[in-house]
Amino acid sequence: MSSTEPRRTALDALHRSLGATMTDFAGWEMPLRYGSERDEHNAVRTRAGLFDLSHMGEITVAGPAAAALLDHALVGNIGGVKPGRARYTMICREDGGILDDLIVYRLGETEFMVVANASNARTVLDALVERSAGFDAEVRDDRDAYALLAVQGPESPAILASLTDADLNGLKYYAGLPAAVAGVPALVARTGYTGEDGFELFVKPEHAVELWQALTKAGEGAGLVPCGLSCRDTLRLEAGMPLYGNELSTDLTPFDAGLGRVVKFEKEGDFVGRAALTEAAERAATQPPRVLVGLVAEGRRVPRSGYAVVAGGEVIGQVTSGAPSPTLGKPIAMAYVDAAHAAPGTEGVGVDIRGSHEPYEVVALPFYKRQK
């Protein structure tokens, strides 16, 4: 197989049988949509959606010094994560630039699973291997060892509960537990990228099809539908969740992205990027750089990544993500804008859409927050 040939998940044939529109995403053939993106989006907000996320990159870090290695390699306090829990964190360069944002699961006292974005999985793997020098721990590429399915939406707990004896009520947000789901061994995690309650199920690739089919059958009465990457993007945008390559990049530190809270300076020992991030934190406190804000259109024209944000004839920022919002019924965007124009309600802000300055309202993120 040539290196340019896109990779396919264990569910590839099933997606095609469902009539999915497939797309190349980070070197993988992935379902973009099965029917209407809006219908898929609304199903997740009101009922439930089923996603194939097998393109994500799983990396196992295990050994007596696994926690110490991750505390050195990542910006978070990973040693403080209890077994069975997970943490959102980042891996940065020495200069503080973000290499990727990650979820780290502590599977046991000396075993962790790092989940990287598909586009950065190789970069993260290489960085962890390089940073493991001198630590009594193994870094293992487990990208082919897992398929990943996600059930997201208000009906997802009931759907999953019908297929497992696991204590889902006791499973907190950002926690995971091993369980049988429809007879399939899985790591069941209460995580997601939609702004809704939901679960991500890590299973062996050979079990992916039977689990997908069992979930589909269990969700029939609850309005569960298969969902593609397109609605996953509008769901995460409404929830104000950053996407690597849009809101996050090596040109930005976590403080530039408004996510300085993930950097844990109080942890013991040095970590990669500590000195640069200390300076970035001080800069952000005194003279904040551009700030990530929400923009809601007054008209119907949709802003896209890279479009200029303007005020008073001057460029004051740049759109990072934009799309029509099915929930708000209007186009929305996330953008980095100068701090002077970042306050919600700031007047006179627009987006340059092909030479026309379309009016936008500055709002606080997220655009959408589910009712608990």
Side-chain angles (χ1 to χ4, degrees):
M1 189 166 120
S2 76
S3 60
T4 53
E5 189 76 19
R7 299 177 71 181
R8 295 183 169 188
T9 78
L11 293 160
D12 185 79
L14 194 149
H15 297 316
R16 292 171 196 277
S17 74
L18 292 172
T21 300
M22 305 296 285
T23 188
D24 182 355
F25 182 82
W28 289 81
E29 280 272 299
M30 296 298 294
L32 191 61
R33 70 182 78 80
Y34 298 84
S36 153
E37 292 163 15
R38 179 180 293 271
D39 289 350
E40 291 171 26
H41 179 110
N42 289 335
V44 175
R45 284 277 176 260
T46 59
R47 302 184 305 279
L50 178 58
F51 296 83
D52 177 11
L53 305 179
S54 303
H55 60 310
M56 300 296 280
E58 295 87 5
I59 301 160
T60 299
V61 179
L69 162 58
L70 290 170
D71 276 339
H72 162 71
L74 311 180
V75 300
N77 178 6
I78 308 305
V81 178
K82 291 183 169 59
R85 298 307 301 266
R87 184 148 299 167
Y88 176 78
T89 186
M90 294 184 182
I91 181 166
C92 291
R93 300 192 307 194
E94 200 66 70
D95 66 3
I98 303 166
L99 282 173
D100 201 15
D101 61 335
L102 311 165
I103 295 180
V104 179
Y105 295 88
R106 188 165 200 164
L107 304 179
E109 206 52 51
T110 60
E111 187 179 3
F112 297 80
M113 180 169 66
V114 177
V115 182
N117 285 297
S119 55
N120 296 328
R122 169 52 62 181
T123 302
V124 173
L125 178 69
D126 290 347
L128 287 175
V129 168
E130 186 183 320
R131 295 173 190 189
S132 68
F135 289 91
D136 186 6
E138 175 203 8
V139 176
R140 190 170 71 236
D141 180 0
D142 270 344
R143 287 178 293 171
D144 293 333
Y146 291 101
L148 177 57
L149 281 64
V151 194
Q152 297 281 300
E155 295 290 339
S156 57
I159 293 167
L160 196 58
S162 73
L163 295 173
T164 182
D165 294 334
D167 177 17
L168 299 182
N169 288 335
L171 188 64
K172 295 186 171 76
Y173 188 49
Y174 268 71
L177 84 176
V181 182
V184 169
L187 172 67
V188 178
R190 199 163 210 151
T191 44
Y193 194 49
T194 63
E196 297 300 334
D197 192 9
F199 303 87
E200 296 185 326
L201 310 171
F202 296 85
V203 298
K204 288 182 176 173
E206 57 265 33
H207 293 146
V209 171
E210 71 177 286
L211 183 55
W212 178 284
Q213 290 172 335
L215 288 162
T216 299
K217 192 162 178 11
E220 274 172 2
L224 174 103
V225 301
C227 292
L229 293 182
S230 189
C231 85
R232 190 169 185 251
D233 193 48
T234 51
L235 289 159
R236 71 92 195 165
L237 176 55
E238 287 184 351
M241 294 176 168
L243 174 65
Y244 195 90
N246 291 45
E247 287 74 39
L248 308 175
S249 73
T250 50
D251 295 334
L252 298 167
T253 72
F255 295 94
D256 296 326
L259 291 166
R261 64 181 181 275
V262 306
V263 182
K264 303 300 182 188
F265 292 117
E266 68 275 15
K267 65 179 174 177
E268 284 179 29
D270 196 17
F271 61 89
V272 178
R274 183 191 270 272
L277 289 168
T278 301
E279 286 179 23
E282 288 164 3
R283 271 199 314 275
T286 52
Q287 48 179 119
R290 284 183 166 176
V291 179
L292 188 64
V293 300
L295 299 173
V296 177
E298 292 178 21
R300 309 302 309 166
R301 298 185 71 185
V302 179
R304 297 295 181 193
S305 178
Y307 285 12
V309 182
V310 293
E314 300 288 315
V315 174
I316 58 153
Q318 188 175 48
V319 170
T320 52
S321 296
S325 164
T327 306
L328 275 63
K330 299 174 178 178
I332 59 172
M334 286 200 274
Y336 282 108
V337 302
D338 294 344
H341 298 273
T346 300
E347 302 280 320
V349 172
V351 175
D352 186 338
I353 300 182
R354 298 187 190 88
S356 170
H357 290 186
E358 301 288 329
Y360 273 74
E361 181 189 357
V362 180
V363 300
L365 292 169
F367 301 97
Y368 166 86
K369 204 163 194 176
R370 73 181 170 97
Q371 301 300 306
K372 294 286 187 230

